[in-house]
Amino acid sequence: MDSRHLVDPELVAGLDFLPTMDFASGNLPALRAQLQELYDLQARELPAGEVRQREVLVPGPAGAPDVRVLVYEPANRTGDAPLPAYLQIHGGGYVLGTADMSAGLCAAIVNALHCVVVSVDYRLAPETAFPGNIEDCYAALHWLHAQAGELGVDPARIGVGGESAGGGLAASLALLARDRGEVPVAHQQLIYPMLDDRVPREVHPYTGEFGWTREHSAFGWRSLLGGEPGGEDVSPYAAAARADDLAGLPPAFISVGSLDLFLEDILEYTRRLTRAGVKVELHVYPGAYHGSDVVAAARLSRNHMRDQMAALAAGLGCTRG
């Protein structure tokens, strides 16, 4: 495979910043530290006096530890009107990442939309296999809804979303919330989501060379599922593309690059959502690879952020954005 010539010229520089991930070595701690360093380099400091951050431990799933979340809110809230809220779920192939690496994004969302953002630090695989991660996310969502009054949040305007594995978890969380019927979700924000553990019969010749490869994806799914991916009994709460019924899900914003490994999975999931009567806004960015928004100054990355913010503002009914 050679797709470098298809990469947007402004995004080529990002190829040198992407970490080399050799999951075959079994050295997950070092890879986790490497990814955190990358995000530390890219992260923006919280705007002084504008965004307040605090850490909360919320009740975890039955028999499991409490779930750590980071709550971001406007530092100088005025009036008594409740604000919309967004549950942010970080990426990392189900095996990497922390809630902290979304700090810059969470602060940007709070500033742009004047809302509350809760970033969830779910347990990672392979130390915790499915359903630990999705149940942690559901516990955070349930807490956010139950504590809406204390948080100054409108319980009817809560959205969920994330990037990569976080986007996959957000899609599965929307399914789980629909099926349990306890927490209404107003919007789902799926940024190049990791949706399907199955290997397609026909492999796309120009996706998956950069950022996140087929080998990476297989390791992530294997770690999450505790066995080989592609089996017959994988839950849709682990891989949202496995859901038979997508009706009744909240409106979705979905984005992906044309060189992203997940391109065709995402196109198929979008098609199925529309056929189930779900409102979907889909963006495919030409020449973008998985995680290429690490080049934040590139035109495509700026357009992607603009589109994300506009869709989130509309989905949550924000007065700003």
Side-chain angles (χ1 to χ4, degrees), residues 1-300:
M1 178 194 300
D2 182 8
S3 59
R4 192 182 183 95
H5 65 289
L6 297 174
V7 176
D8 181 272
E10 290 187 304
L11 298 178
V12 171
L15 299 178
D16 296 328
F17 289 98
L18 294 173
T20 300
M21 293 183 287
D22 178 16
F23 290 120
S25 70
N27 195 12
L28 262 181
L31 291 174
R32 287 169 176 167
Q34 186 181 16
L35 183 67
Q36 189 61 52
E37 288 176 7
L38 171 66
Y39 276 90
D40 287 344
L41 287 172
Q42 297 295 322
R44 293 170 288 179
E45 294 182 1
L46 299 183
E50 297 180 18
V51 177
R52 181 169 57 242
Q53 179 206 72
R54 57 192 172 98
E55 179 180 308
V56 180
L57 293 177
V58 309
D66 290 343
V67 180
R68 174 178 176 262
V69 302
L70 299 176
V71 180
Y72 300 82
E73 54 193 333
N76 300 308
R77 293 180 61 166
T78 58
D80 298 325
L83 300 181
Y86 177 62
L87 185 73
Q88 161 66 18
I89 308 174
H90 70 80
Y94 301 117
V95 298
L96 303 169
T98 68
D100 304 81
M101 75 185 200
S102 299
L105 173 64
C106 293
I109 292 172
V110 171
N111 276 329
L113 307 186
H114 196 63
C115 65
V116 173
V117 177
V118 175
S119 183
V120 55
D121 215 7
Y122 59 88
R123 288 170 291 169
L124 299 176
E127 294 89 343
T128 300
F130 172 82
N133 59 355
I134 189 67
E135 291 293 354
D136 286 352
C137 294
Y138 187 82
L141 176 64
H142 190 276
W143 173 83
L144 174 55
H145 183 262
Q147 299 299 314
E150 180 179 330
L151 295 168
V153 162
D154 183 347
R157 291 192 291 157
I158 295 176
V160 300
E163 306 80 38
S164 192
L169 280 165
S172 291
L173 185 59
L175 287 163
L176 186 58
R178 179 201 66 180
D179 295 345
R180 289 185 175 172
E182 298 175 320
V183 181
V185 175
H187 176 79
Q188 52 181 326
Q189 190 95 339
L190 311 181
I191 310 303
Y192 39 84
M194 189 170 175
L195 298 167
D196 201 336
D197 63 298
R198 296 165 293 191
V199 176
R201 290 187 183 135
E202 184 179 351
V203 174
H204 193 297
Y206 295 112
T207 63
E209 183 176 3
F210 304 115
W212 192 251
T213 69
R214 289 173 179 83
E215 292 75 21
H216 296 155
S217 195
F219 179 85
W221 284 117
R222 193 179 302 117
S223 300
L224 176 67
L225 300 175
E228 288 302 313
E232 296 181 358
D233 57 350
V234 173
S235 169
Y237 307 140
R242 297 293 200 122
D244 293 326
D245 180 13
L246 301 181
L249 289 172
F253 171 87
I254 306 177
S255 61
V256 67
S258 65
L259 305 179
D260 195 304
L261 175 66
F262 301 143
L263 173 66
E264 292 192 319
D265 291 345
I266 288 168
L267 294 178
E268 174 61 13
Y269 194 68
T270 300
R271 183 192 69 80
R272 292 184 58 219
L273 284 171
T274 63
R275 289 184 67 86
V278 178
K279 294 181 180 178
V280 184
E281 178 180 344
L282 171 69
H283 290 251
V284 178
Y285 296 92
Y289 47 87
H290 194 83
S292 62
D293 38 12
V294 68
V295 190
R299 178 186 57 84
L300 279 184

